[in-house]
């Protein structure tokens, strides 16, 4: 796996321009350092971030761009100082692969909010001066601190979406103590993140209400995912029926939507956590002030939370709902993701389709 010669040693799929169209691309991974782990990638989840950066929606895309930050695989090689992993271990890599390690957040294992900014898994400046390339590729070299042990017996294919979709909802749920049985949780949006919020909510013993604009999601929300209630958010009567009834809301919707109607559903001192990216957040101050409510934001999670979540999922038999695809299907998959035509997370079978 080492790359002493500088020859291309990794096969991936990359976007070359803001069209976002992906095609095969050979490139060079850095040599393995003393505290690095090299893993053969078996699966990679497909996240909306892959759409955003391949199409330069953030404005900072560096091409050729290899996306993918829900990575799982098998350790092929370890550096001389690595002590957490050995060859053959099942390992995950999430949304970042490095951080300053010295700031108060890194010291608290909250590297995702590193003061100097974490090194993202793709489209970020790596330690060797190259641009990081993600999991739509045959292998990756990552410092051991930013790798996660996949618990024994937990399927690699199921672990992939946990590394972004899963941790993005798990971390704020734990931060805001949403693991109290008997409390009530609302989940806005039922995509990759939303369906994991429902699963975690049920595992924590919460009473879970799903809010969606799509009646077609009702049966799956209730029967497949185990939600207790399903509310059409555009139906005023249904919304009025759950006024001031929720302790918590997790808002995973990235489309623009009003906030006041949801704030009105929270009990006094209720908490709404925003993990989606609408173009603006607008609400009447009274929605917040008069009910002593909290509006909070969150991104993925630190290394401690991520490892804890993987172990929680294994212990509680929590598995994302996935559609397994070959890498050749990725351009169609990204279009379907944009159109919300996936239940509920695409996972690429890297091992069997990236040749």
């Amino acid at each position: 796996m080492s790359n002493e010669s500088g020859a291309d040693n990794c096969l991936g799929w990359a976007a070359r321009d803001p069209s976002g169209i992906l095609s095969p691309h050979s490139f060079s991974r850095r040599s393995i350092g003393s505290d690095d782990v090299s893993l053969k990638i078996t699966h990679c989840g497909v996240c909306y971030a892959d759409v955003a950066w391949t199409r330069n929606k953030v404005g900072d895309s560096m091409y050729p761009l290899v996306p993918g930050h829900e990575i799982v695989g098998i350790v092929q090689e370890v550096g001389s100082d690595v002590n957490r992993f050995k060859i053959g271990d099942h390992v995950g890599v999430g949304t970042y692969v490095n951080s300053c390690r010295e700031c108060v957040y890194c010291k608290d294992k909250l590297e995702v909010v590193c003061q100097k900014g974490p090194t993202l898994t793709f489209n970020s400046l790596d330690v060797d001066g190259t641009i990081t390339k993600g999991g739509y590729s045959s292998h990756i070299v990552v410092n051991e601190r930013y790798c996660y042990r996949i618990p024994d017996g937990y399927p690699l294919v199921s672990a992939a979406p946990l590394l972004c979709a899963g941790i993005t909802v798990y971390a704020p749920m734990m931060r805001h103590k949403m693991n109290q049985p008997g409390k009530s949780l609302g989940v806005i949006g039922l995509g990759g993140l939303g369906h994991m919020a429902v699963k975690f909510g049920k595992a924590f013993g919460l009473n879970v209400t799903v809010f969606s604009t799509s009646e077609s999601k009702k049966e799956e929300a209730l029967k497949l995912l185990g939600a207790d209630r399903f509310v059409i958010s555009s139906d005023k009567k249904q919304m009025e029926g759950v006024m001031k009834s929720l302790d918590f809301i997790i808002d995973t919707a990235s489309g623009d939507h009003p906030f006041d109607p949801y704030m009105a559903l929270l009990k006094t001192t209720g908490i709404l956590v925003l993990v989606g990216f609408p173009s603006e957040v607008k609400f009447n101050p009274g929605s917040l002030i008069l009910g002593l409510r909290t509006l909070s934001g969150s991104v993925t999670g630190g290394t401690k939370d991520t490892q804890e979540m993987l172990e929680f999922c294994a212990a509680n038999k929590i598995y994302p709902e996935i559609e397994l695809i070959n890498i050749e299907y990725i351009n169609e998959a990204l279009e379907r993701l944009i159109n919300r035509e996936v239940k509920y997370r695409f996972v690429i079978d890297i091992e069997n389709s990236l040749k």
Side-chain angles (χ1 to χ4, degrees):
M1 286 289 176
S2 294
N3 183 29
E4 304 302 336
S5 67
D8 290 345
N9 64 1
C10 192
L11 179 61
W13 275 53
R16 268 82 174 179
D17 57 55
S19 72
I21 302 295
L22 291 150
S23 58
H25 173 61
S26 293
F27 62 97
S28 176
R29 289 281 186 204
R30 73 164 191 265
S31 301
I32 190 165
S34 60
D35 49 6
D36 284 336
V37 171
S38 176
L39 58 140
K40 180 183 83 170
I41 297 172
T42 60
H43 300 88
C44 185
V46 178
C47 174
Y48 192 79
D50 303 342
V51 172
W53 270 280
T54 54
R55 300 186 182 207
N56 199 28
K57 290 180 181 288
V58 185
D60 64 357
S61 296
M62 294 172 275
Y63 299 102
L65 188 149
V66 179
H69 61 198
E70 295 183 339
I71 302 166
V72 290
I74 300 167
V75 177
Q76 301 287 80
E77 190 180 349
V78 294
S80 54
D81 296 337
V82 169
N83 52 34
R84 291 180 54 225
F85 300 102
K86 63 184 187 305
I87 292 169
D89 282 353
H90 289 185
V91 169
V93 175
T95 58
Y96 52 92
V97 291
N98 214 334
S99 62
C100 82
R101 309 181 204 176
E102 292 167 357
C103 72
V104 62
Y105 303 109
C106 283
K107 285 184 174 166
D108 211 19
K109 296 282 170 57
L110 275 172
E111 301 91 341
V112 67
V113 285
C114 170
Q115 266 181 323
K116 293 183 179 174
T119 300
L120 301 180
T121 303
F122 63 83
N123 199 57
S124 207
L125 193 63
D126 207 351
V127 288
D128 63 350
T130 62
I131 303 304
T132 56
K133 291 181 166 53
Y136 292 17
S137 59
S138 54
H139 83 279
I140 192 167
V141 177
V142 180
N143 181 282
E144 68 168 332
R145 174 173 177 152
Y146 308 91
C147 296
Y148 309 101
R149 183 175 302 285
I150 308 296
D152 290 346
Y154 195 86
L156 285 172
V157 67
S158 300
L162 299 178
L163 295 157
C164 176
I167 189 59
T168 298
V169 292
Y170 180 89
M173 290 177 90
M174 297 303 289
R175 189 180 314 123
H176 294 290
K177 301 181 171 56
M178 296 189 196
N179 57 343
Q180 302 172 61
K183 294 264 177 123
S184 52
L185 169 72
V187 177
I188 304 172
L190 201 59
L193 277 66
H195 95 286
M196 289 307 303
V198 175
K199 285 176 181 271
F200 287 135
K202 293 311 296 176
F204 291 144
L206 304 179
N207 187 289
V208 179
T209 301
V210 169
F211 296 89
S212 176
T213 53
S214 176
E215 179 75 42
S216 63
K217 292 190 173 178
K218 181 174 183 175
E219 190 167 344
E220 286 202 347
L222 299 173
K223 293 189 176 166
L224 175 68
L225 303 175
D228 299 283
R229 259 188 316 196
F230 183 88
V231 171
I232 295 292
S233 52
S234 55
D235 184 324
K236 278 190 176 172
K237 195 168 182 188
Q238 285 189 40
M239 292 288 277
E240 282 167 8
V242 285
M243 291 271 279
K244 296 186 179 176
S245 69
L246 302 174
D247 295 291
F248 313 107
I249 293 175
I250 289 198
D251 185 351
T252 72
S254 284
D256 287 337
H257 57 285
F259 281 80
D260 289 310
Y262 290 112
M263 299 293 267
L265 307 183
L266 287 169
K267 295 178 184 176
T268 301
T269 71
I271 299 166
L272 187 148
V273 176
L274 182 66
V275 294
F277 272 87
S279 65
E280 67 172 8
V281 176
K282 202 172 177 182
F283 58 89
N284 185 314
S287 293
L288 203 63
I289 295 166
L290 300 178
L292 314 182
R293 298 181 180 110
T294 299
L295 177 64
S296 173
S298 196
V299 286
T300 57
T303 55
K304 180 175 177 287
D305 288 337
T306 305
Q307 188 63 57
E308 181 186 287
M309 172 209 57
L310 287 164
E311 284 157 18
F312 181 82
C313 287
N316 292 276
K317 296 184 167 52
I318 297 170
Y319 307 106
E321 303 297 324
I322 61 168
E323 181 178 333
L324 189 63
I325 62 167
N326 289 338
I327 189 76
E328 294 85 4
Y329 186 71
I330 189 56
N331 290 306
E332 291 90 338
L334 292 173
E335 285 297 332
R336 281 179 55 196
L337 180 58
I338 292 165
N339 295 326
R340 298 179 190 154
E341 295 168 4
V342 52
K343 292 178 180 177
Y344 285 87
R345 203 67 159 177
F346 286 119
V347 175
I348 308 168
D349 185 351
I350 296 287
E351 185 176 35
N352 292 309
S353 66
L354 183 62
K355 306 291 185 190

